[in-house]
Amino acid sequence: EAPVVEAAGIRPLGQGASDAWYLLNDQKHTEVFYGGSAGPGKTFLLCLWEVYCALRYPGTAGALFRESADNLQKSTLVTFFEVLTKSRLAEGVHWRYNDNKKVVEWYNGSVTYFDYLRFMPRDPNYSRLGGRQYTRAGVDESDQVEERAVDVLASRIRYRLTEFCHHCAAPGMASMSEPVDCDDAGNPTQWRCYKCGQWTKGLLPKLGLTGNP
């Protein structure tokens, strides 16, 4: 039997956070910026979104970034674990954290990576991101990060995007659903979900950004 995690729970989101949440989960926007004054609310929303997606879409890969490893450890990760506690998700039951690899492994096969995007003169094009594939990603305090880093990261969000319906999270969506729209080359871009019957593009390559505008 899973242990009961004592926690206060998640409070209802305010209007600004609710608007950002809608954009993070819609079928139109691929980059969503949520800004505001200093405080934990922006980071909390970004972490909550990653937890939600990791649980809703099994076997997917998310990533949360910060400009430096120090800020990642002292701020973003602290808030992420706060979200887990308030969501009543138990370590060893729902998730496990590998501190050496900076990755959370979820009970359903999803993973959440944590990394930093500090500019390095020996790697001006952020080639260290090459070969990585994510289903979604977030950059906390993105105004501290080089624009080139954000662009390269966005190009890495392409893992298992058409395998789920964004309405009902039905697995195997593209392979089991009827295509209803195609691009100029004839490749399907939208399907009628075999489970819920609604039209879906699958999961868009979402990049969530927080910072001070």
Side-chain angles (χ1 to χ4, degrees):
E1 183 179 352
V4 176
V5 180
E6 297 296 334
I10 304 293
R11 295 181 179 179
L13 299 176
Q15 187 60 58
S18 294
D19 292 343
W21 184 269
Y22 175 81
L23 297 177
L24 285 168
N25 293 285
D26 70 6
Q27 288 267 285
K28 182 178 180 181
H29 302 86
T30 55
E31 290 191 14
V32 179
F33 179 82
Y34 179 43
S37 57
K42 303 186 300 295
T43 303
F44 191 92
L45 179 74
L46 195 65
C47 293
L48 182 63
W49 173 61
E50 169 53 28
V51 170
Y52 168 80
C53 291
L55 294 175
R56 181 171 171 81
Y57 306 113
T60 57
L64 295 178
F65 292 84
R66 192 74 185 257
E67 187 273 338
S68 71
D70 188 57
N71 286 332
L72 178 73
Q73 186 74 38
K74 294 180 178 179
S75 178
T76 308
L77 269 166
V78 170
T79 302
F80 188 84
F81 291 128
E82 178 189 354
V83 170
L84 294 180
T85 299
K86 290 187 174 182
S87 301
R88 298 184 173 90
L89 297 170
E91 183 177 8
V93 177
H94 303 107
W95 58 274
R96 299 179 186 277
Y97 178 60
N98 186 318
D99 188 54
N100 291 326
K101 296 182 178 180
K102 291 291 186 291
V103 60
V104 167
E105 299 174 341
W106 298 90
Y107 76 95
N108 64 356
S110 291
V111 291
T112 300
Y113 298 99
F114 298 88
D115 207 343
Y116 61 96
L117 287 172
R118 171 164 288 176
F119 176 77
M120 299 179 181
R122 67 177 183 274
D123 184 26
N125 294 317
Y126 295 87
S127 300
R128 61 186 184 273
L129 295 177
R132 303 188 190 185
Q133 293 191 71
Y134 305 116
T135 313
R136 61 200 164 266
V139 182
D140 195 18
E141 301 297 346
S142 62
D143 52 307
Q144 301 172 3
V145 174
E146 295 281 333
E147 184 177 354
R148 174 62 177 165
V150 174
D151 291 341
V152 173
L153 176 59
S155 72
R156 311 314 305 167
I157 307 175
R158 57 191 185 187
Y159 180 62
R160 303 194 69 185
L161 295 178
T162 62
E163 294 191 23
F164 296 91
C165 172
H166 85 286
H167 292 292
C168 67
M173 186 279 298
S175 62
M176 300 174 64
S177 300
E178 173 193 0
V180 293
D181 197 11
C182 298
D183 60 20
D184 292 339
N187 300 308
T189 57
Q190 197 164 195
W191 297 260
R192 180 181 291 108
C193 177
Y194 70 90
K195 184 176 181 180
C196 68
Q198 298 195 64
W199 287 24
T200 179
K201 298 176 182 177
L203 308 180
L204 296 190
K206 293 280 186 173
L207 178 59
L209 307 166
T210 72
N212 296 308

